[in-house]
Amino acid sequence: MNQLGTISGRALCPAPQVLQRAVSRRPQVIVASFKVRPYTVRKGDTLNSIARKREIKFEELVALNHDMNPDSLVEGQTILLPGGKLSSRDREILAGIGPATYRTYPVREGEVLQDIMEKRNITKAEMEALNPGVDLDRLSTGQVLKLPAGKYTVREREMMTGSGVPAEFFHATSALGKTVLIALGVAGIYSAFLWRQKQEPDDDSE
């Protein structure tokens, strides 16, 4: 990505900011994002699994990445995704944004404290200060921890910047970082609430 916001000649055009609209009696949130965003292929990823987790059509991914071999993805390879398409894990990360001092994080299956800290450059002292009384050596899947604000993995940063979060946000001590942190915290919580509501059937559905 260069300073003009392009990847391989494709422009990353900003989409509208957070808006509300009523559809079928339930409001929805349109999160500020680019039309496309980069995604770094992880171990075990296939084009089908990437598409399925984000409700993207396989053909749409192929069209966005016309120079890619869809049957042979390589770990570390960068491809393009539609900007507004997020996985459930991406939504959890955005919804976890909170006060300027910390964010919440649900433990993934098989994760241990060392995994969480090393990938985000977090110290044991920081974790203990934010999670008093929590046995950090015995974590369970889905357990919610507090992590220092502004500390993210490379993939989390990639997803967030691709969703319209400015780079300054990750410097939590800056004025812009604090402002964006608060704004995204409100939007993230609201988006998570609406996303959960969307998963539930309408009261008048059969």
Side-chain angles (χ1 to χ4, degrees):
M1 188 184 298
N2 59 29
Q3 292 181 343
L4 297 178
T6 63
I7 298 179
S8 302
R10 302 178 179 86
L12 300 179
C13 303
Q17 297 295 318
V18 178
L19 301 173
Q20 284 188 355
R21 64 181 178 182
V23 178
S24 302
R25 297 169 53 193
R26 291 190 185 279
Q28 293 180 338
V29 169
I30 304 172
V31 179
S33 65
F34 297 113
K35 287 187 177 179
V36 295
R37 66 181 178 93
Y39 175 83
T40 302
V41 176
R42 304 174 64 187
K43 183 178 181 180
D45 273 343
T46 65
L47 205 61
N48 272 316
S49 68
I50 293 170
R52 185 179 64 254
K53 290 177 181 178
R54 295 160 182 82
E55 298 183 350
I56 305 170
K57 292 182 178 179
F58 181 87
E59 296 77 9
E60 187 176 2
L61 282 186
V62 173
L64 279 176
N65 301 275
H66 51 79
D67 54 350
M68 169 197 66
N69 181 350
D71 298 320
S72 182
L73 294 185
V74 180
E75 182 179 359
Q77 177 182 356
T78 299
I79 64 174
L80 294 178
L81 304 183
K85 300 289 188 175
L86 301 173
S87 67
S88 59
R89 186 65 183 177
D90 294 336
R91 294 176 186 274
E92 287 178 342
I93 296 302
L94 289 173
I97 298 172
T101 55
Y102 71 87
R103 67 182 178 99
T104 57
Y105 176 83
V107 177
R108 304 182 72 171
E109 184 177 0
E111 272 190 320
V112 296
L113 184 63
Q114 198 65 24
D115 296 331
I116 296 171
M117 294 192 302
E118 284 184 354
K119 293 177 181 178
R120 298 166 180 84
N121 196 27
I122 301 172
T123 66
K124 182 73 174 292
E126 287 178 307
M127 292 299 296
E128 290 174 341
L130 287 172
N131 300 274
V134 176
D135 186 351
L136 296 174
D137 294 320
R138 296 175 62 86
L139 301 180
S140 57
T141 302
Q143 180 179 355
V144 177
L145 300 175
K146 291 180 181 179
L147 306 187
K151 295 195 174 183
Y152 294 85
T153 64
V154 172
R155 197 193 76 81
E156 289 169 346
R157 285 173 180 253
E158 180 184 70
M159 178 274 294
M160 294 175 71
T161 53
S163 297
V165 179
E168 290 83 357
F169 163 76
F170 299 103
H171 302 289
T173 55
S174 69
L176 177 59
K178 291 180 180 178
T179 300
V180 176
L181 191 64
I182 294 171
L184 282 175
V186 174
I189 293 170
Y190 187 55
S191 297
F193 168 75
L194 293 178
W195 177 66
R196 288 180 181 178
Q197 289 289 93
K198 186 178 179 181
Q199 308 310 306
E200 299 175 359
D202 290 333
D203 295 337
D204 55 355
S205 62
E206 296 181 358

